[in-house]
Amino acid sequence: MSETIVSVQDVQFSYPTGVRALKGVSLEVKQGERVAILGPNGSGKSTLILLIAGLLNPSKGQIKVFGQETSSKNFPKLRSRIGIVFQDPDDQLFTPSVKEDIEYGPRNLGLPSEVINKRCNHILEDIGISHLKDRSPHRLSFGEKKKVSLATALILTPELLILDEPTANLDLASRRGLIEMLNALNAEGTTIIISTHDVEALPELAERVIVMAHGSLLGEGEMHKVLQDVELLESAGLELPSIARLFNKLKGLGLVNVIPITYEEALNFLQETLKRD
């Protein structure tokens, strides 16, 4: 059985303004999982991932990552094992050039220059942004900034990668490239936690889904089951993916008995049905 690397136990969190963002959330993430925290804006999912990353401390409850409490004085020593990519890349990019931004983390950790340079060139090439390395991050497109912010996290080869709304505002090509890269990283052993409200991208992003609304966990389970659960998603103010929504209507009319959630699943079902007819 895989090791638990993230443990969240009855966590509550309130901002200084008095907003109660989390109301007693508990969950676990195993090593090597791809987990999505799904919820609408204001559900508390972004707050939760900031707490898991150790950037905020719980008001009540306990979070452990790699067996260490995030609020402990020893937790900063684990920072290099955790990568985080914020929803807005401008929150993450601050140096004069792309290359300097990507190299900032390992330089701060005191890694040798030759190691940093080699890693940086490798990451730039992998993500396809070598041509941007001398550009100012703030003169890039939103999609390009997203790629650079991902590179700043990946250069440390994190064991746990946390992403907040990674597909938001990306064009189709950038979105496809990001999903492929995340799945390749997961196949190599990286544990991935994604905060999102994008039900359309979810089938390709996660194996397990945790549904949140109003600071509470409403349900969780295997991705296909969650994305076919109309009642659960509607209780969180979410809809089924468009393909599943169409087949749910057809099922209600007695025309089909399955609810595929991806284009490929729907196509396979229709091809098999047409062959039989």
Side-chain angles (χ1 to χ4, degrees):
M1 184 176 290
S2 298
E3 176 188 1
T4 297
I5 63 169
V6 175
S7 174
V8 178
Q9 298 297 325
D10 197 25
V11 165
Q12 300 180 36
F13 182 83
S14 296
Y15 286 99
T17 56
V19 174
R20 195 178 176 202
L22 296 177
K23 303 171 183 176
V25 171
S26 297
L27 60 90
E28 289 188 346
V29 177
K30 304 285 188 183
Q31 184 176 9
E33 278 196 294
R34 282 184 301 150
V35 176
I37 301 170
L38 177 67
N41 292 335
S43 62
K45 62 187 187 300
S46 293
T47 299
L48 178 57
I49 65 169
L50 291 175
L51 286 159
I52 292 172
L55 300 177
L56 295 174
N57 289 325
S59 304
K60 290 184 179 179
Q62 182 188 75
I63 300 177
K64 287 186 176 182
V65 180
F66 299 117
Q68 185 72 57
E69 282 193 50
T70 56
S71 56
S72 76
K73 63 180 182 181
N74 293 320
F75 188 74
K77 295 176 183 177
L78 301 178
R79 295 272 188 214
S80 63
R81 299 173 67 183
I82 304 168
I84 184 164
V85 180
F86 297 116
Q87 178 177 355
D88 185 349
D90 286 328
D91 291 339
Q92 199 155 351
L93 307 176
F94 56 90
T95 69
S97 73
V98 165
K99 191 171 188 293
E100 289 174 272
D101 252 321
I102 295 171
E103 292 181 343
Y104 180 83
R107 287 200 188 285
N108 200 39
L109 290 173
L111 296 184
S113 293
E114 59 271 20
V115 172
I116 294 172
N117 191 55
K118 185 176 180 179
R119 282 194 191 181
C120 183
N121 289 336
H122 181 67
I123 290 292
L124 285 165
E125 187 174 339
D126 270 2
I127 298 183
I129 53 173
S130 296
H131 61 294
L132 302 176
K133 66 179 182 179
D134 296 319
R135 296 265 303 273
S136 166
H138 300 295
R139 294 185 179 276
L140 303 179
S141 70
F142 189 86
E144 289 170 335
K145 288 179 181 179
K146 278 268 194 178
K147 291 177 181 178
V148 176
S149 62
L150 179 60
T152 65
L154 295 185
I155 194 169
L156 294 174
T157 60
E159 298 168 53
L160 171 63
L161 182 61
I162 302 170
L163 305 101
D164 191 11
E165 299 286 0
T167 58
N169 301 312
L170 290 183
D171 58 51
L172 288 176
S174 296
R175 177 184 174 124
R176 166 56 47 201
L178 174 67
I179 290 171
E180 289 177 353
M181 180 173 296
L182 293 178
N183 289 340
L185 287 167
N186 179 250
E188 293 169 3
T190 305
T191 304
I192 295 177
I193 300 175
I194 294 166
S195 160
T196 187
H197 68 272
D198 187 354
V199 293
E200 301 295 341
L202 206 55
E204 298 176 279
L205 282 171
E207 297 162 324
R208 185 161 66 90
V209 181
I210 295 165
V211 181
M212 290 188 64
H214 308 297
S216 298
L217 193 154
L218 300 186
E220 63 176 293
E222 188 267 330
M223 182 267 298
H224 271 78
K225 289 184 179 178
V226 169
L227 291 188
Q228 291 172 342
D229 192 331
V230 180
E231 186 177 341
L232 173 60
L233 293 180
E234 286 186 347
S235 70
L238 299 165
E239 289 187 317
L240 297 172
S242 53
I243 291 289
R245 201 158 62 246
L246 170 62
F247 273 79
N248 188 52
K249 291 285 187 184
L250 294 173
K251 187 176 182 181
L253 295 170
L255 299 174
V256 299
N257 58 3
V258 298
I259 303 178
I261 61 172
T262 66
Y263 169 83
E264 289 78 14
E265 290 175 1
L267 180 61
N268 290 337
F269 170 77
L270 292 173
Q271 286 175 330
E272 290 299 318
T273 302
L274 291 171
K275 282 179 185 177
R276 289 196 298 269
D277 293 344

